[in-house]
Amino acid sequence: MLDPFFQRCLLRLAHLAARGKRRSADVARFMLDVDARVLVLARALSDGTYRPGLGRAFRLLDPKPRRIYALPFVDRVAQHALIDATLPAIERRLADQTYACRPGRGTHRALRRASELARHRRFVLRVDVQRFFPSVDHAILRALLDRVTPPALRWLRDVFLDAPLPDGAVEPVAFHFPGDELFTPLGRPHGLPIGSLTSQIWANLHLAPLDHLLAAHLGLGGFVRYCDDILVFDDDPGRLREAMARLHGRAAELRLRLHPDKTRLHRTSDPVSFIGFVLRRRGDAVNIRLRHDNVRRMRRRVGVLKAEFAAGGLPVAEVTQRLRAWLAHAAHGHTRALLEREHQAWVFRRGELGEADALDE
């Protein structure tokens, strides 16, 4: 007999997974008969017969070319169940300096912390992992997950980790590391699909050894990590050069490669890019501006919104919500003059003649 508490937990997770996505046909179908569908999923999870379906792979070109994998909604609910059961143990293994996909943290708090550190330090080491998600080695990740996954749930972890993916779901990568033979990269399963909840959370755990190397072994606790983007601050460039060499070695042990161009030492008085913004220390203050490509992307999106609104495809409330979301994001930088200029161009009209309702956000 199924545990009623387990069913209620799955029902709660289904509503959580559907938040902000109810306009999707897949989500709407599931939520239309949510009790019955949750019951079927609960039975499959309880007797160990659950297997995820084959999702949809597609490419995004904005902000950079990426391959995205979208699971069927029922499988996203199952992923929420797995993460809900393992997240407390994962959180205990993450350093305070990592901010991606964590409750009470996120992009803007990472930006504020990086700004505070830049204000008081002369140098910053920017670290970027080359092709991070496609490179994640399954055997290494599985060993890390063993420490945080209850034995009763390891089969479900393996179901997602080993699930077959459609062509194009993960970018092909074949990096070689010391000791490898010619075909070693082909014989070691690797790669996490971008777009899955498990990928986001597991990616955080996979790079935790880099955090502990910096904080515990090198004494460089003044750093900020957002997924695979890391800024390490210090007044001594020699310590940061040593840290760079040690990070290269530790990343190789994880079968990861640091980006040869983006991983480099900067003065904090020089522009340093981080999570869509550019930081630059000026005296005792830090200037934070949006990256130029971020502004260009928003202008393109506004153009699409104007066209959809003019054609009657979007209500006023949705256009307003999207614009306000970008304004709230941009406002975390020193962007008042920029936002005033952009705001002047945000006039939306219905129809070719503009005779219906107009929106001036």
Side-chain angles (χ1 to χ4, degrees):
M1 182 177 178
L2 284 175
D3 184 352
F5 177 73
F6 179 52
Q7 289 179 249
R8 289 197 297 273
C9 287
L10 277 182
L11 186 62
R12 172 182 62 82
L13 293 172
H15 285 281
L16 176 65
R19 189 176 298 168
K21 304 180 181 69
R22 292 178 181 268
R23 295 183 62 182
S24 162
D26 186 27
V27 177
R29 281 193 299 269
F30 188 96
M31 299 306 292
L32 188 64
D33 194 16
V34 63
D35 291 322
R37 292 178 184 269
V38 162
L39 178 60
V40 172
L41 176 60
R43 285 173 176 163
L45 290 172
S46 296
D47 60 24
T49 60
Y50 166 80
R51 295 296 181 274
L54 197 62
R56 179 173 60 94
F58 57 95
R59 287 177 62 86
L60 287 182
L61 300 177
D62 188 8
K64 62 182 180 180
R66 292 178 298 167
R67 304 187 185 203
I68 307 297
Y69 181 59
L71 274 170
F73 182 70
V74 62
D75 299 317
R76 282 181 265 166
V77 177
Q79 285 194 343
H80 272 273
L82 175 61
I83 294 302
D84 191 63
T86 57
L87 189 58
I90 292 175
E91 280 287 320
R92 286 194 292 271
R93 292 186 175 270
L94 297 180
D96 289 340
Q97 294 91 336
T98 187
Y99 284 78
C101 304
R102 301 186 70 185
R105 301 196 178 221
T107 308
H108 300 133
R109 293 198 178 188
L111 182 67
R112 287 201 296 274
R113 179 56 179 157
S115 175
E116 291 170 5
L117 290 168
R119 184 175 295 112
H120 301 291
R121 297 290 185 268
R122 296 172 52 230
F123 295 93
V124 57
L125 171 64
R126 184 187 177 204
V127 181
D128 181 89
V129 180
Q130 188 174 15
R131 298 182 180 179
F132 172 51
F133 280 92
S135 300
V136 172
D137 186 87
H138 286 194
I140 294 173
L141 176 60
R142 200 185 313 269
L144 291 170
L145 289 172
D146 276 344
R147 304 170 187 173
V148 297
T149 308
L153 287 177
R154 288 177 185 171
W155 73 271
L156 183 57
R157 172 207 62 192
D158 292 338
V159 160
F160 285 117
L161 190 57
D162 302 330
L165 299 173
D167 291 341
V170 178
E171 179 184 1
V173 170
F175 291 146
H176 286 79
F177 297 91
D180 282 0
E181 298 179 353
L182 179 61
F183 295 108
T184 297
L186 301 180
R188 295 185 65 105
H190 58 273
L192 294 178
I194 300 175
S196 292
L197 176 63
T198 49
S199 297
Q200 297 170 22
I201 303 301
W202 291 350
N204 255 359
L205 179 66
H206 196 67
L207 287 182
L210 299 190
D211 298 342
H212 299 310
L213 170 66
L214 288 169
H217 297 282
L218 299 178
L220 291 169
F223 71 91
V224 180
R225 176 165 74 85
Y226 194 90
C227 195
D228 61 320
D229 291 326
I230 310 174
L231 296 183
V232 190
F233 296 87
D234 201 76
D235 288 324
D236 184 352
R239 293 186 71 197
L240 293 178
R241 290 192 187 96
E242 179 189 357
M244 188 191 309
R246 295 283 298 275
L247 287 168
H248 273 286
R250 190 67 182 97
E253 293 173 5
L254 297 171
R255 298 190 65 81
L256 298 172
R257 181 177 293 182
L258 301 188
H259 199 289
D261 300 322
K262 295 181 181 178
T263 300
R264 53 174 298 196
L265 187 64
H266 302 262
R267 294 181 182 274
T268 51
S269 56
D270 297 331
V272 178
S273 178
F274 185 58
I275 53 178
F277 291 83
V278 176
L279 290 75
R280 186 174 189 179
R281 179 174 56 83
R282 295 179 180 273
D284 294 330
V286 174
N287 178 261
I288 306 172
R289 63 173 177 82
L290 281 170
R291 285 174 46 139
H292 293 306
D293 56 350
N294 198 328
V295 178
R296 287 196 298 270
R297 288 196 302 273
M298 185 55 198
R299 288 171 179 165
R300 288 198 297 269
R301 290 172 187 162
V302 168
V304 172
L305 285 178
K306 285 182 177 181
E308 292 182 354
F309 184 79
L314 287 177
V316 171
E318 183 168 344
V319 174
T320 302
Q321 180 183 8
R322 293 190 190 183
L323 294 176
R324 284 178 175 168
W326 187 81
L327 285 170
H329 171 70
H332 285 270
H334 301 126
T335 54
R336 177 178 295 179
L338 168 68
L339 296 183
E340 288 178 353
R341 290 196 304 271
E342 295 300 313
H343 187 270
Q344 292 176 1
W346 287 0
V347 178
F348 291 72
R349 299 187 183 279
R350 295 280 194 196
E352 295 182 359
L353 300 178
E355 68 280 358
D357 51 338
L359 171 73
D360 184 359
E361 169 55 23

